[in-house]
Amino acid sequence: MSLLEAREALSFPPGNSGNLTDTVIDNVHFNLTTLEHWNYTYFSNGTLSNGSWCFLTFPPYTPAYVFPNGTFLNATKCWSPTESIRERGGVAIGYAVLFGITLILTLVNLHKHGRLHLPAEKRFYPIGRRWQWYWASFVCATAMVSLFVSIDVDRYYLPELPVILTTFFWYLMQMGTVALVWEAVRHWGSWMERQFIDPDPFTLRQDDRRARVELYLPLLFYLFLWLNFFMIVPRKWSAIQHQRSPEQTLLEAAPSATDSRFKAGAFMLVGCWLVTVFSLRHSIKYYCPQNRGIFNRIIGFVRYTPLRFALIIPLAAALIAYQILVAFRFEYGPVKVGGNDAAIFVGGYTPSFLILVVQIVFGLINPNEDRELQRQRRERNQVLNREMGIVPKPSWWRRVNGEYMDPNEGMRERLMRNVREVHGTKPAASATVSGADAQHEGLGVPLDMTPISSPPLASPRVTRPPMQPYTGRSERRREERTAELAAGLLYPIAAQNSAATAARRREELMKDGPPPSYTETVRGAQPTPNSAPNQIRSMLDV
């Protein structure tokens, strides 16, 4: 007995002859007094129900016995998947597999375009480029749930929870698809702005009409999307499952699925679509070459619209149009049990799937935005170098000329490289630059291993004066001597000149003899009785 046939109350079949308390249903005897006591009614669709409980009575689901308390033995409820998978369930499995593949590719694109290769900027948050892929993942997940649950819509003998779940997640999928299209268009405008201001950050102001429009457009879009969610989701969904007979469907399910809230929610998506188109027009106006005149502006809008948006925006319009149709015509929507399968999948799931395919294909083709920005910067630098006549040296130039900087070099190697730069010399071709065998040019002695107190090196090019360690108590003098020692190691020529100057100054001071001792120049010192009087030799002794 099909659930779409008339569900009429019938009288209980007669039982054994002469026994008024017995009834036989499919060769099984039941106590008629017990059934009537618990208000059970026998219906023409093969069910036995009292308004609270419903059981199947046709083979092989016929109950074996009914107890006096109204409990059935080996009974099967009416809301059980007893039917085989039909066309709607088979097509739903295929669509669910396709959405599962798109989910995997969406995660691949999220990893590709969500990675950062440049420092994050306050003006362009990294999450802005990821939102479209977040919404794409949401669409894939809700579509798969709706499709897998819709397999049981036709398998249940009487409609119940599956038709509610498949309709609920289908509406969520519609909202996610519209949000996906919006985020793709919005982020494209943000990407165009980033390319526009990258050469000159002060080209566009952040407090003009353009910036204010870009601030309020997302708020307006998500206001319409939230209104769509508020009109559809928070409601009593149980009336939709009341499709157990044509009369019940006409009186309860159809009015509930096509009420004013569903109609208003569908038109909220129209507002979302208009905001998306306006955002695309706004980005083309400010970040693409401008055109004068109405017709030229229309031509420019069509010309500068990316191919991706030329595909997904009409698909989003078709999706919204189908939701409006479902809000007025109950028989074409996914909420109808045994409805038009072609309309359900072509109008309900195909636009969302095609939008995901377009997004994935262009996501795999387009490079990461940070990588693209780095490429544009390199091209601009090359143009500037050509204009200024700068010819950059090839990468092998530093290696050939001994200017290669080993990332693993230690402090000794760095000191050696600094010394060579000061001298203006280069290491021999056969020498290996290392801390153990790096030799100073023409000396044969490791430069950084020379003792500090060693005698001057016999070299016609470098004469390093000996540096005696400071043994006094003055911390300031010790720091100065340490600084002189470090300067002598890093810059030997300058240290040589400084030492030569100090030696020449010392020689000039020693021409008149050594300076007097401290005891001879103490002021106020009185001669002893046995000592000879001091002789004043110069004005310095006074």
Side-chain angles (χ1 to χ4, degrees), residues 452 464-470 476-492 494-496 498-499 502 506:
I452 296 177
R464 179 177 300 168
M467 298 291 292
Q468 298 297 335
Y470 177 70
R476 179 178 179 182
R477 183 57 183 162
R478 181 178 290 105
E479 293 177 359
E480 293 177 354
R481 182 64 61 86
T482 304
E484 293 176 2
L485 176 62
L489 291 176
L490 294 175
Y491 308 103
Q496 174 189 358
S498 176
R506 188 180 299 105

Side-chain angles (χ1 to χ4, degrees), residues 78 81 83 90 96 121 137 157 201 214 239 265 293 300-301 309 315-316 351 371 384 468-469 479 484:
C78 300
E83 305 295 325
E121 303 177 21
S137 303
Y157 187 77
E214 293 178 356
F301 176 74
F309 300 149
L315 289 173
R371 296 293 192 188
L384 293 176
Q468 298 297 335
E479 293 177 359
E484 293 176 2

Side-chain angles (χ1 to χ4, degrees), residues 284-439:
I284 293 176
K285 175 182 177 182
Y286 284 97
Y287 308 123
C288 295
Q290 298 184 4
N291 298 284
R292 297 180 178 272
I294 298 178
F295 294 101
N296 290 334
R297 290 179 181 177
I298 296 175
I299 295 174
F301 176 74
V302 176
R303 175 184 178 185
Y304 293 111
T305 299
L307 177 61
R308 174 164 58 115
F309 300 149
L311 296 175
I312 65 176
I313 290 180
L315 289 173
L319 179 147
I320 297 172
Y322 176 76
Q323 188 171 139
I324 295 176
L325 174 65
V326 169
F328 287 90
R329 300 293 298 272
F330 173 76
E331 61 272 13
Y332 293 107
V335 68
K336 179 68 169 64
V337 177
N340 192 328
D341 294 338
I344 292 174
F345 290 101
V346 174
Y349 293 95
T350 302
S352 299
F353 174 72
L354 293 179
I355 289 174
L356 289 172
V357 170
V358 172
Q359 282 286 108
I360 290 172
V361 170
F362 280 88
L364 295 175
I365 294 175
N366 296 332
N368 182 280
E369 295 177 3
D370 289 349
R371 296 293 192 188
E372 176 64 19
L373 209 60
Q374 291 175 345
R375 184 191 65 81
Q376 295 178 9
R377 291 175 180 177
R378 289 194 299 267
E379 290 182 354
R380 288 197 301 268
N381 292 335
Q382 293 174 2
V383 172
L384 293 176
N385 291 338
R386 286 195 297 267
E387 292 178 353
M388 299 178 64
I390 300 176
V391 180
K393 297 179 181 179
S395 59
W396 51 264
W397 182 268
R398 297 178 63 87
R399 297 176 181 268
V400 172
N401 291 271
E403 300 177 1
Y404 172 68
M405 297 176 60
D406 188 2
N408 298 323
E409 66 178 359
M411 181 58 67
R412 294 182 177 181
E413 289 80 3
R414 294 183 183 180
L415 294 176
M416 280 289 299
R417 181 161 45 81
N418 293 338
V419 171
R420 286 197 300 270
E421 292 179 358
V422 172
H423 283 283
T425 58
K426 301 170 185 177
S430 60
T432 303
V433 180
S434 64
D437 56 357
Q439 307 292 330

Side-chain angles (χ1 to χ4, degrees), residues 441-504:
E441 291 77 15
L443 301 180
V445 180
L447 180 64
D448 56 345
M449 299 301 292
T450 304
I452 296 177
S453 59
S454 62
L457 300 176
S459 173
R461 298 180 57 185
V462 178
T463 302
R464 179 177 300 168
M467 298 291 292
Q468 298 297 335
Y470 177 70
T471 59
R473 298 182 179 181
S474 176
E475 294 294 336
R476 179 178 179 182
R477 183 57 183 162
R478 181 178 290 105
E479 293 177 359
E480 293 177 354
R481 182 64 61 86
T482 304
E484 293 176 2
L485 176 62
L489 291 176
L490 294 175
Y491 308 103
I493 295 180
Q496 174 189 358
N497 298 336
S498 176
T501 303
R504 186 169 56 255

Side-chain angles (χ1 to χ4, degrees), residues 86-406:
R86 300 180 185 177
E87 294 182 359
R88 180 172 180 172
V91 177
I93 293 175
Y95 268 82
V97 172
L98 294 178
F99 275 101
I101 297 175
T102 57
L103 177 60
I104 297 174
L105 297 177
T106 298
L107 296 178
V108 172
N109 280 282
L110 175 61
H111 176 73
K112 174 183 177 181
H113 295 277
R115 294 182 62 184
L116 294 180
H117 301 279
L118 290 174
E121 303 177 21
K122 184 177 180 181
R123 194 168 178 178
F124 304 99
Y125 293 98
I127 196 173
R129 69 176 75 173
R130 302 168 184 166
W131 265 117
Q132 55 182 325
W133 305 112
Y134 291 155
W135 279 115
S137 303
F138 176 81
V139 171
C140 294
T142 52
M144 292 174 63
V145 174
S146 177
L147 289 166
F148 279 124
V149 174
S150 66
I151 298 174
D152 288 336
V153 170
D154 292 335
R155 294 191 65 221
Y156 268 52
Y157 187 77
L158 293 182
E160 202 202 20
L161 187 60
V163 67
I164 296 177
L165 291 179
T166 187
T167 305
F168 178 81
F169 282 98
W170 179 80
Y171 276 107
L172 292 180
M173 181 196 69
Q174 301 282 294
M175 288 183 278
T177 306
V178 176
L180 163 63
V181 176
W182 155 255
E183 286 297 336
V185 173
R186 181 206 59 79
H187 175 65
W188 179 77
S190 176
W191 166 236
M192 294 295 291
E193 179 187 4
R194 188 181 183 187
Q195 297 178 92
F196 198 84
I197 69 172
D198 187 65
D200 184 7
F202 303 100
T203 303
L204 299 175
R205 298 175 55 185
Q206 300 188 28
D207 57 350
D208 55 352
R209 179 180 179 275
R210 175 198 60 83
R212 290 194 298 270
V213 170
E214 293 178 356
L215 173 64
Y216 292 121
L217 276 181
L219 301 179
L220 183 61
F221 172 85
Y222 282 105
L223 173 63
F224 282 116
L225 191 68
W226 179 82
L227 289 176
N228 175 266
F229 178 86
F230 178 77
M231 290 293 176
I232 293 177
V233 173
R235 63 167 53 246
K236 187 177 180 180
W237 290 85
S238 59
I240 295 178
Q241 67 181 353
H242 295 165
Q243 303 181 43
R244 299 158 189 169
S245 66
E247 293 80 7
Q248 190 182 45
T249 302
L250 184 62
L251 296 177
E252 298 185 31
S256 177
T258 58
D259 61 1
S260 58
R261 294 185 60 181
F262 277 109
K263 294 181 175 66
F267 282 102
M268 291 299 105
L269 293 185
V270 176
C272 294
W273 188 85
L274 294 176
V275 173
T276 303
V277 175
F278 180 81
S279 177
L280 177 62
R281 175 68 183 90
H282 171 84
S283 300
I284 293 176
K285 175 182 177 182
Y286 284 97
Y287 308 123
C288 295
Q290 298 184 4
N291 298 284
R292 297 180 178 272
I294 298 178
F295 294 101
N296 290 334
R297 290 179 181 177
I298 296 175
I299 295 174
F301 176 74
V302 176
R303 175 184 178 185
Y304 293 111
T305 299
L307 177 61
R308 174 164 58 115
F309 300 149
L311 296 175
I312 65 176
I313 290 180
L315 289 173
L319 179 147
I320 297 172
Y322 176 76
Q323 188 171 139
I324 295 176
L325 174 65
V326 169
F328 287 90
R329 300 293 298 272
F330 173 76
E331 61 272 13
Y332 293 107
V335 68
K336 179 68 169 64
V337 177
N340 192 328
D341 294 338
I344 292 174
F345 290 101
V346 174
Y349 293 95
T350 302
S352 299
F353 174 72
L354 293 179
I355 289 174
L356 289 172
V357 170
V358 172
Q359 282 286 108
I360 290 172
V361 170
F362 280 88
L364 295 175
I365 294 175
N366 296 332
N368 182 280
E369 295 177 3
D370 289 349
R371 296 293 192 188
E372 176 64 19
L373 209 60
Q374 291 175 345
R375 184 191 65 81
Q376 295 178 9
R377 291 175 180 177
R378 289 194 299 267
E379 290 182 354
R380 288 197 301 268
N381 292 335
Q382 293 174 2
V383 172
L384 293 176
N385 291 338
R386 286 195 297 267
E387 292 178 353
M388 299 178 64
I390 300 176
V391 180
K393 297 179 181 179
S395 59
W396 51 264
W397 182 268
R398 297 178 63 87
R399 297 176 181 268
V400 172
N401 291 271
E403 300 177 1
Y404 172 68
M405 297 176 60
D406 188 2

